[in-house]
Amino acid sequence: MPATYYQRSGLRRYFQETGEVWLFARRFFKEALHRPFEGKELLRQCFIVGNQSLFLVGMTGLIMGLVLTLQTRPTMEDFGAEAYMPAMVGVSIIREIGPVVIALICAGKIGSSIGAELGSMKVTEQIAAMEVSGTNPFKYLVVTRILATTLMVPLLVIFGDAIALFGSFLVEHMKGDVSFRLFFNKVFRQLGFGDLIPATAKTFFFGFAIGLIGCFKGYTSKKGTAGVGRAANTAVVVASMLLFVLDFIAVLVADIFFDL
Amino acid sequence: MEPLIHIENLYKSFGGLHVLNGFSLDLYDGENLVIVGRSGSGKSVLLKCIVRLLEPDSGALEVLGQPVPQLSQYEMDHLRTEVGFLFQGSALYDSMTVRENLEFPLRRHPEKMKGHDVGTLITSTLESVGLAHTVDMMPEELSGGMQRRIALARTLILRPRIILYDEPTSGLDPITAKEIIELMLRIQEEYHTAALIITHDMDCARVIANRMIILIDGKNYAEGAYAELSMSPDPRVRAFFK
């Protein structure tokens, strides 16, 4: 009996929360399209989101490029196909590994930060204080943050991809004496619009999902300081899962339109 | 005389918990009305209903002659500039300096500047709470009493006609609490505001109240001046004055 009860209440909570996220997203679109626009705060949030993740994304990208090339090279050599290394690494990073890994890093860094910040503002009544001063806190806090992540995550992914390719080049240069120009010629000769457009387009959705879930969890957090921790934690978990779902959908859609 | 706040038979419940059970009050211009009640008796819920942070279940609720539950969001935002709210925990924006905290509501309601520039308004308001030197400090650098004063300055900068105080002296030492009470009285004189004060601090009530309401079981249990209520033979009323 208790197991059935918990399963049922867990399932109900899941559907209830999915509905709440949906309503939250709908409110975002409604508020984002109406004046007044918080342009200054949006720029500030873009700077915070980009600046606070730049080093982490750069390091992740570099290690991703180094490791991927170091681990793949011996196998490619066995087949006498080391000349294809730049093309293979380029396609893997640009199409799939770069966007997904960097978006996951952003979910951890940015999503948790937004969840914790808004959660603590809620608990300390700062959001209520904004509301009673005649300011729309949703527009000021939520709309700006979701827009900032939607705009900045794609830029961070492009930056991370570039660093990853550079890391791959370093290994190729050391092991195979490949020049910078030759390496990047081979990379870009292999890449087409079918690789670049879907890979870039999906990062906007990744950024939106990270901002949406972070803001939702923080803005609706309850139960005091424990709720703040829970908001930060669940923002990362839910956003990460959502990224995989979105990636799967993006691959399906890209397959239809670009015949991957 | 028309009341600034008129509440009649206000009901609010959360699930099966009935917090306000037909509460009524009238707040008049220039008056300090103190509401006392036990913890969980619905005092803070009442304040939140007045500024529509919570929606009442039923009853009449008018602020400056406008029916709060029926107002559009735009109308409500404008009404809120006439009603200041001092939160129990100050609720200063901790990512902003004192100057930015005060600027924040002003930038969104430029009509409230009335020809003055932002800097002058901030300086004069901070001077009136005695903290002009903290203008570039962050909230975390201020003591609890200073934070309460800055929160009051942020409320005053829009020049409201009514100020709602939620436990203005809670968590403060007796000396700082006394300073806050004196500041509240001085502000009322200087800015000609009416105040609705929720407190457990009977010293605060004694000094500041023109009139008091005792809230028990979600409704008005007793009403009168401090001296009158403190002499009441009713044990439930006397319990507050021990």
Side-chain angles (χ1 to χ4, degrees):
Chain A
M1 269 298 275
T4 316
Y5 169 76
Y6 285 120
Q7 280 164 5
R8 205 183 295 152
S9 67
L11 202 63
R12 200 172 73 175
R13 207 166 48 236
Y14 168 77
F15 282 115
Q16 190 180 332
E17 195 160 311
T18 306
E20 284 169 5
V21 172
W22 178 253
L23 291 174
F24 197 79
R26 203 177 69 169
R27 186 174 172 195
F28 161 77
F29 286 111
K30 196 176 147 200
E31 302 266 11
L33 296 171
H34 288 94
R35 294 171 86 82
F37 303 116
E38 299 283 356
K40 201 174 158 191
E41 179 61 10
L42 173 62
L43 284 178
R44 199 175 77 88
Q45 287 303 325
C46 284
F47 176 75
I48 291 170
V49 166
N51 191 42
Q52 75 179 5
S53 318
L54 207 59
F55 178 73
L56 191 62
V57 165
M59 281 303 291
T60 309
L62 184 69
I63 291 165
M64 194 163 63
L66 291 171
V67 170
L68 186 66
T69 313
L70 278 170
Q71 288 202 329
T72 321
R73 198 163 211 288
T75 314
M76 297 291 271
E77 273 175 348
D78 287 347
F79 288 102
E82 63 266 39
Y84 291 100
M85 273 301 295
M88 195 280 294
V89 171
V91 170
S92 322
I93 286 174
I94 300 290
R95 261 196 197 176
E96 192 58 37
I97 303 173
V100 172
V101 171
I102 290 163
L104 285 172
I105 293 288
C106 290
K109 181 88 174 108
I110 304 165
S112 63
S113 151
I114 291 176
E117 188 186 9
L118 295 192
S120 71
M121 285 185 80
K122 173 99 175 180
V123 168
T124 55
E125 294 187 306
Q126 291 177 53
I127 293 179
M130 259 181 209
E131 205 165 342
V132 297
S133 72
T135 302
N136 182 344
F138 193 93
K139 201 179 260 289
Y140 183 80
L141 298 171
V142 174
V143 172
T144 52
R145 279 166 177 75
I146 296 179
L147 283 176
T149 54
T150 308
L151 296 172
M152 295 311 287
V153 168
L155 293 180
L156 287 168
V157 168
I158 291 169
F159 173 73
D161 285 353
I163 299 284
L165 290 176
F166 181 72
S168 176
F169 157 72
L170 289 180
V171 175
E172 279 296 288
H173 183 68
M174 283 187 289
K175 298 246 175 183
D177 202 23
V178 177
S179 73
F180 184 83
R181 193 168 173 178
L182 178 63
F183 180 86
F184 281 96
N185 262 338
K186 284 186 172 181
V187 168
F188 288 112
R189 199 179 306 149
Q190 189 61 34
L191 290 171
F193 281 118
D195 300 306
L196 293 172
I197 293 174
T200 311
K202 72 181 173 188
T203 57
F204 285 96
F205 292 96
F206 289 171
F208 177 76
I210 292 166
L212 179 75
I213 299 298
C215 287
F216 173 76
K217 289 291 177 184
Y219 201 78
T220 58
S221 74
K222 292 181 187 105
K223 296 175 186 165
T225 44
V228 178
R230 202 174 303 125
N233 183 270
T234 51
V236 179
V237 175
V238 177
S240 303
M241 282 171 62
L242 193 56
L243 290 180
F244 286 115
V245 174
L246 286 173
D247 188 49
F248 174 65
I249 296 168
V251 170
L252 284 180
V253 173
D255 192 36
I256 293 166
F257 288 102
F258 293 95
D259 196 20
L260 297 176
Chain B
M1 187 164 57
E2 281 286 300
L4 298 180
I5 297 179
H6 170 68
I7 295 173
E8 203 175 328
N9 277 328
L10 199 72
Y11 286 83
K12 176 71 189 171
S13 55
F14 298 94
L17 182 69
H18 301 286
V19 179
L20 295 176
N21 270 318
F23 183 78
S24 303
L25 74 75
D26 284 313
L27 174 74
Y28 294 95
D29 204 5
E31 186 182 31
N32 284 335
L33 175 58
V34 171
I35 298 176
V36 291
R38 294 177 60 183
S39 296
S41 61
K43 305 183 301 293
S44 295
V45 169
L46 171 71
L47 288 195
K48 286 177 180 171
C49 285
I50 293 172
V51 287
R52 214 169 76 182
L53 285 175
L54 290 172
E55 298 273 357
D57 297 335
S58 64
L61 170 50
E62 288 179 7
V63 175
L64 301 173
Q66 300 186 64
V68 171
Q70 281 89 49
L71 295 179
S72 68
Q73 193 56 50
Y74 178 80
E75 290 167 329
M76 193 63 218
D77 282 345
H78 274 267
L79 183 63
R80 279 169 173 161
T81 65
E82 300 291 341
V83 185
F85 196 123
L86 185 75
F87 285 86
Q88 196 174 347
S90 303
L92 293 174
Y93 310 132
D94 51 17
S95 61
M96 301 182 194
T97 62
V98 168
R99 183 196 306 278
E100 288 163 344
N101 263 279
L102 268 69
E103 250 179 32
F104 188 83
L106 213 48
R107 295 272 184 214
R108 275 145 192 89
H109 298 283
E111 74 279 2
K112 286 281 182 175
M113 291 198 239
K114 290 175 183 159
H116 297 95
D117 82 301
V118 179
T120 315
L121 275 173
I122 290 173
T123 310
S124 68
T125 312
L126 281 176
E127 274 168 1
S128 66
V129 297
L131 289 175
H133 63 285
T134 63
V135 69
D136 291 317
M137 290 168 88
M138 297 299 286
E140 70 203 21
E141 297 174 82
L142 306 170
S143 68
M146 287 162 100
Q147 287 188 13
R148 209 64 60 91
R149 282 163 177 259
I150 298 295
L152 190 50
R154 185 180 64 186
T155 301
L156 286 172
I157 202 149
L158 292 178
R159 303 291 183 262
R161 292 179 63 191
I162 306 163
I163 301 182
L164 310 177
Y165 294 92
D166 190 0
E167 302 279 5
T169 56
S170 78
L172 301 176
D173 64 85
I175 297 167
T176 313
K178 197 177 162 213
E179 284 171 6
I180 294 286
I181 295 164
E182 283 164 3
L183 180 64
M184 287 161 68
L185 286 170
R186 206 170 66 233
I187 276 165
Q188 194 197 20
E189 253 175 54
E190 196 177 331
Y191 294 92
H192 310 291
T193 54
L196 185 58
I197 302 140
I198 277 170
T199 188
H200 283 119
D201 181 352
M202 295 313 279
D203 282 337
C204 171
R206 182 175 50 80
V207 175
I208 213 160
N210 302 124
R211 193 157 58 91
M212 285 175 70
I213 293 177
I214 292 180
L215 177 65
I216 296 177
D217 299 331
K219 50 191 162 199
N220 314 45
Y221 186 79
E223 197 169 333
Y226 181 92
E228 203 180 314
L229 290 175
S230 63
M231 305 297 283
S232 168
D234 186 330
R236 293 185 83 182
V237 174
R238 288 194 64 80
F240 286 97
F241 295 88
K242 278 178 185 165

